Structure formats: structure tokens, C-alpha cells
Amino acid sequence: MLKQIAEQLVKTGSYINGRWQQSAQHFTVLNPANQQVLLSVADASASDAERAVCAAADAFASWAALPAAKRSELLQRWYQLVMQHQDDLARLLTLEQGKPLSEAKGEIAYGASYLQWFAEEAKRLYGDTIPAPSNDKRIIVQRQPVGVVAAITPWNFPNAMLARKAAAALAAGCTFIVKPAHQTPLSALALAELAHQAGIPAGVFNVVVGTDAKAIGEVLTQHVKVAKFSFTGSTAVGKQLLKQCADSVKRVSMELGGNAPFIVFDDADLDAAVQGLMAAKFRNAGQTCVCANRILVQQSVYQAFADKLAIAMTQLKVADGLTDGCHIGPLIDDKAVAKVTQLLQSALDDGAKLLLGGSAHSAGAQFFQPTLLTDVQPQMAISNDEIFGPVAALMAFDSEQEAIALANSTEYGLAAYFYSRDIGRVFRVAQALQFGMVGINEGIISNAAAPFGGVKQSGYGREGSKYGLDDYTDIKYLCLGGLQPAM
Ligand code: ADP
């Protein structure tokens, strides 16, 4: 199966200036479900990244000069090709990343929806005219592409995180280089193959795959020809890359870690809240930056909610993502398993109670049982670190104010969720939560029409929506003077 997909969609080296690169050095891509080698890929170096930057810089002027309708048409074609290959792209994604095939199909459609959305937005890059302070002047505002955009993307959504950055950049008229995570380069290379087939010109979209993230990252964040840098990944790495961008004063977007609270108030529809939590917690085996991390439940409904959640969790099927009906696949690597195990153990040592699961799963070395913890406290490590695994950690609260204070007591501010049927409370709590995105009676919030992004140390910049082009454009003000008033 992999052989067939790879033959059609994956060339095993970086895609730079419209060509596939080879190298003496290679690295292997492993299937996290069984640790078997999937493919060997040419390992790009910092000088390959530099060539990609120069190619993107050379391609910029003619790409930016294309009529928006033409850029739109090319993005549409790319979108259509991705959707035509949805099944194969999804299999490839599951093989390298581990998530259940149904989720992988969803990710391909979700990533493609950004290509489609920004194909449309490309045509709506409007400016403004502003009333001038005197009649002999006109004030005109235009939006122009920032230039070459470089990006680094993570392994948890190897297709969609890349597509949603590239789509906005290309729509705005920027050229683009991306370094995907070395654990999951195949989905990125497949997107490059389809960009090539769609007719996106050489140098406009480049993918540099390599294991030396630090060296490649230095080029992408420090090269003077890169105008903007966009990152999705951990807060620690993001902070470092932000510093690296300072010397050349780059435009930067950062989509960093989260520590999402999921609040269940006493007036909530508990069944709906359980359903919402199952989606917000267990998607991608709990490995998303918007996953519910701290589940805050009002004391009077705490036991009832925990009981309903336990029943729902026993239905979760843990297996290789290609297995029919699978809900939870493997974690990405052994470090991820070690981190979840350690956070769980430390919570138990500090007094949390185990209701379900609690250890590795028999499906394989990197599988973890869906785990339910109660009596979790705010100061525990599990309440302060991103769990990134299938562990639901329940904490009780008494009042609305307490819930808001607990929810906001984190340096992160990406996503938050709450369930309530009281309209007054809905508006009060929505206003008070210090997060970039709030799901109200809803556990799945992300789509191309909506602005995705965080506040506080979760970063800045927005991806998707009508705001999504802002990060890729500069505002240029034209002052037209010397206009004589009519005689
Ligand atoms: P995660 O915990 O999700 O792996 P990381 O922030 O480590 O998050 O990884 C996200 C992306 O950042 C990946 O593409 C990874 O290769 C890249 N990365 C990690 N460390 C560095 C670094 N020092 N410089 C540049 N990129 C890095």
C-alpha cells in the first residue's frame, strides 16, 4: 500500500525551486504504530535551506505580480488535487503520524479547506481610501505581500498546519519555504508533489526536509531575504526562534503551546459536555495544542459528569490507526509515552485518583490507555504542562468566579471551552476568559472561516478567516497631493 502511494505522491527529498533534491545523507521515517521503517528521505542541510530561500526570493517578484485571479486559480487547482487524492494522503498521514484513518481523512479535508478559502480570499485583498485632512490630497491604502515567508511546522497535523500557512502566504502574493517536523515529512512532500502538478511556479513553494532543525531553523529565521517567519510548535522552541528573528526585524507569527481549560457548569447539558470533551480531549490521542488539558467541573455535577465520562471512555478503541473503528492510535514517539507516564505518576503521587486506564496499552510500545483521573489539583504538574496524551484530568470547583480564576491561571492563552445553558453566564464567562479562542457548548472549534490563534505565551497572529491575510501583507499608504480644487 505504501509503495503504491509513495510512487504516485512522494519523492524522497526536499522540493526546492521546482526540483527534487537528493543528498548523500538520509534519514528514516518510522511508523509510530510499530516502529517499522516507512521510507528513507534525503536529509537536507542548512545550505539546502539557503538555496530554498534564494529560490523563493527570485520567484517573489513574478508571483506577486500575477493577477490575484490567477493565483486564486492555481490555489484552487492545488485544492482539487489534494481532495482527489484524499484517501491516499490520509493513509500516508496515518502511516507516519499514527492518527486514526478517519481523523487523517478529516485532516486532509481540513487542510485543503484552507487552500480553497485563501484561493477565494486572494481576490479580496482590499485596500481603503480615507478622507484627507485637506482637499488637495487623497489618502489611498494598499496591501502588498510582505515577501518571502519561511515556516516551521509540527508533527501533530503534518498536512493541515502546513497547508494553512502556505495557502495564506501564496494567496497574498508571498513565496514560501517550509521545514516540516522530521518525524512526519512525507505528508509535506506529497503536498509539494501536488503543488507541482497544480502548476504552482518553481520557487514559489519549497519544502526542506531535514533532521538538523537547529541549523535549518537558523537560516529560516536569520536570512535577510526572509521577510516573515511563521511557526507552530512548542513554546520553548518558539521563544528561541523569536529571538533569532529579532536581528533582521522579521514579521513573526507564533502558534505555540496551550493549556486549555474545559469548564462544565452546573447548568450544562452533561451529555453534550461529555460528547464535546471526548472530541476536544481524545482527538489525535490527545496530541493537539487545543486539546482540553484541565477539566474543571462544578462540584454539584462532578460525580455525575465523571460517571458519564467514564462510560464514554470505555468505548474508545485503541489500535493501529489503519484498523477499522479505531479511535486512539499511538503516541508519536517513546519520549511522548515517557512524558505522559511521568505526568500521570506525579499526579498520582500528589493525591489524584485513577478511575480508568493508567498505563501503556497492549497494542504496542507507543500506545497508551485512555486514562481518567479525578481529584486533580491546580498546582500539580499535570495541570500546568501540556499532557499531549489520552489522559483526562478532572478538577472540582465551587463558583463561577473560581472557575474563571482557575481557567486563567496559566501563562498560555490558546483555546478554552465551557458548557452552560445560562445566557448571562455564557456572556460573562466568554468575556472573562483570557484565550484567543473559546468553544461555548462546542468541543471542535477550528475551521477555515474562523481566526485560529492565541494570546499570552500561546503566541500571536491568526490563521484562517478574513484576518488570515493580514500577517502576510504590509499596509502601504499612498499620499496623492497637489490636487487643485475645482475652479
Ligand atoms: P513538538 O514538541 O511538537 O515536537 P517542537 O517545537 O519541538 O514541538 O517542534 C516543532 C517544530 O520545530 C518541528 O518542525 C521541529 O523540527 C522544529 N524545531 C525543534 N527545535 C528547533 C530548533 N532549535 N530550531 C528550529 N526548529 C526547531
Side-chain angles (χ1 to χ4, degrees), residues 152-155 179-183 213-214 217 231-234 237 241:
I152 294 185
T153 52
W155 49 262
K179 187 208 85 66
H182 72 271
Q183 295 95 328
K214 188 167 177 296
F231 177 71
T232 299
S234 62
V237 173
L241 298 176

Side-chain angles (χ1 to χ4, degrees), residues 124-316:
R124 302 196 182 104
L125 200 56
Y126 300 134
D128 265 321
T129 57
I130 298 176
S134 62
N135 285 339
D136 64 339
K137 290 194 175 69
R138 295 289 182 274
I139 296 175
I140 301 163
V141 176
Q142 296 179 341
R143 290 166 75 191
Q144 295 195 327
V146 294
V148 173
V149 173
I152 294 185
T153 52
W155 49 262
N156 59 349
F157 289 89
N159 174 290
M161 294 303 98
L162 195 170
R164 89 180 172 188
K165 292 184 196 298
L170 267 55
C174 300
T175 52
F176 189 82
I177 308 122
V178 62
K179 187 208 85 66
H182 72 271
Q183 295 95 328
T184 55
L186 306 180
S187 295
L189 293 172
L191 273 175
E193 169 63 26
L194 295 176
H196 190 87
Q197 289 181 20
I200 307 257
V204 170
F205 176 75
N206 306 275
V207 178
V208 177
V209 289
T211 50
D212 194 346
K214 188 167 177 296
I216 296 171
E218 278 168 5
V219 173
L220 300 186
T221 51
Q222 292 174 348
H223 203 295
V224 288
K225 289 185 176 171
V226 173
K228 184 202 156 75
F229 179 70
S230 177
F231 177 71
T232 299
S234 62
T235 302
V237 173
K239 284 180 182 174
Q240 177 57 39
L241 298 176
L242 192 53
K243 285 184 198 144
Q244 290 171 203
C245 286
D247 269 349
S248 49
V249 196
K250 293 199 196 319
R251 297 272 300 266
V252 179
S253 302
M254 290 272 150
E255 203 262 273
L256 307 177
N259 182 359
F262 187 105
I263 312 172
V264 183
F265 287 105
D266 54 7
D267 60 282
D269 175 338
L270 291 190
D271 292 316
V274 167
Q275 209 185 353
L277 179 62
M278 293 300 287
K281 174 76 245 179
F282 294 107
R283 201 159 54 105
N284 202 10
Q287 304 172 106
T288 86
C289 48
V290 294
C291 268
N293 211 54
R294 295 169 295 152
I295 302 155
L296 312 173
V297 187
Q298 199 151 12
Q299 194 73 61
S300 53
V301 293
Y302 187 78
Q303 195 56 52
F305 182 79
D307 292 345
K308 283 175 185 286
L309 180 60
I311 292 170
M313 284 175 60
T314 54
Q315 314 295 314
L316 291 173

